[in-house]
Amino acid sequence: DAGITQSPRHKVTETGTPVTLRCHQTENHRYMYWYRQDPGHGLRLIHYSYGVKDTDKGEVSDGYSVSRSKTEDFLLTLESATSSQTSVYFCAISEQGGSTEAFFGQGTRLTVV
Amino acid sequence: AQSVSQHNHHVILSEAASLELGCNYSYGGTVNLFWYVQYPGQHLQLLLKYFSGDPLVKGIKGFEAEFIKSKFSFNLRKPSVQWSDTAEYFCAVNQNDYKLSFGAGTTVTVRA
């Protein structure tokens, strides 16, 4: 398995609180992604990064921000969590963007109550 | 934006039956195509991929997929499924940019 670690693996938080999810890779891949997985929607891209400090929005970026200060770490922040952000969040990495295989982390199950 | 459609939401079949899952995409230019599998409680893993060349692609665990450019399709097949193939299957498409677009997924349940 590719060296991708997501933390925490499970989190329950209250509406309105900030939450940060961390993705750490040991593969030195340039591209990193945050997806959310919801029943009936598959995986939807939240944000992605194509290098240190280089990030861009995906299709469901509202309410989320990201940061990448080092190649190995990609942080996803929910500034003020809402119940609609209850989901399973997956981090993925790839060496050359969409033209190469993406490797996925184990996922973080986030529940906003 | 790229659109990926998986026609079957849930497929139930018996062991040794043949499986075919449909995938269609909307973009007419050059694409890279993938099938991923997610076993219960696990992360996504690559089954197979198509970039160019022979449109019939063989992947792991006996799966194969056929790219038909004229139909914008990339259907996944397995001649004889096993109970261990119970999983969710995702088609994904890249149009030579940074991102993958995923279909909604197909849950496959194989009865022993």
Side-chain angles (χ1 to χ4, degrees):
Chain A
D1 282 354
I4 308 169
T5 305
Q6 290 186 231
S7 58
R9 293 292 313 279
H10 301 271
K11 186 171 182 66
V12 179
T13 191
E14 292 186 349
T15 298
T17 60
V19 176
T20 295
L21 308 183
R22 180 180 184 241
C23 178
H24 178 80
Q25 62 148 327
T26 57
E27 305 297 323
N28 201 35
H29 283 354
R30 179 181 175 189
Y31 297 88
M32 299 186 75
Y33 307 83
W34 278 108
Y35 290 89
R36 60 178 288 173
Q37 184 180 25
D38 303 289
H41 292 277
L43 276 80
R44 292 180 291 175
L45 182 64
I46 305 171
H47 283 278
Y48 64 100
S49 170
Y50 46 97
V52 173
K53 297 192 189 318
D54 292 322
T55 65
D56 204 351
K57 296 179 180 180
E59 59 185 304
V60 289
S61 59
D62 287 349
Y64 302 94
S65 63
V66 291
S67 66
R68 190 170 179 198
S69 59
K70 298 184 290 185
T71 298
E72 56 266 36
D73 289 325
F74 192 34
L75 303 181
L76 176 71
T77 297
L78 290 65
E79 301 291 346
S80 178
T82 67
S83 58
S84 64
Q85 293 176 312
T86 292
S87 186
V88 179
Y89 291 85
F90 284 98
C91 173
I93 64 173
S94 70
E95 196 167 3
Q96 296 180 25
S99 60
T100 53
E101 176 184 355
F103 298 93
F104 286 81
Q106 296 286 346
T108 295
R109 183 172 295 277
L110 176 68
T111 303
V112 183
V113 298
Chain B
Q2 182 65 257
S3 170
V4 183
S5 298
Q6 291 184 239
H7 313 301
N8 310 101
H9 179 62
H10 193 180
V11 173
I12 303 172
L13 43 150
S14 301
E15 278 193 309
S18 63
L19 172 69
E20 180 160 0
L21 302 181
C23 173
N24 286 90
Y25 60 93
S26 61
Y27 182 65
T30 301
V31 292
N32 301 311
L33 301 161
F34 306 81
W35 275 98
Y36 284 85
V37 61
Q38 185 178 30
Y39 298 105
Q42 296 189 25
H43 62 288
L44 275 77
Q45 304 169 45
L46 183 70
L47 268 181
L48 48 79
K49 59 189 177 186
Y50 172 81
F51 291 163
S52 64
D54 188 344
L56 186 60
V57 180
K58 294 193 183 301
I60 62 171
K61 306 188 180 189
F63 285 91
E64 64 179 32
E66 184 176 13
F67 170 54
I68 303 179
K69 188 174 181 179
S70 61
K71 295 184 178 180
F72 301 96
S73 70
F74 189 55
N75 292 353
L76 180 71
R77 297 194 290 253
K78 185 169 184 178
S80 177
V81 297
Q82 301 172 311
W83 177 81
S84 57
D85 293 322
T86 294
E88 191 160 15
Y89 293 81
F90 294 94
C91 179
V93 179
N94 162 256
Q95 52 184 84
N96 281 321
D97 60 6
Y98 300 145
K99 310 181 292 293
L100 280 176
S101 297
F102 284 85
T106 298
T107 300
V108 173
T109 301
V110 180
R111 293 179 174 158

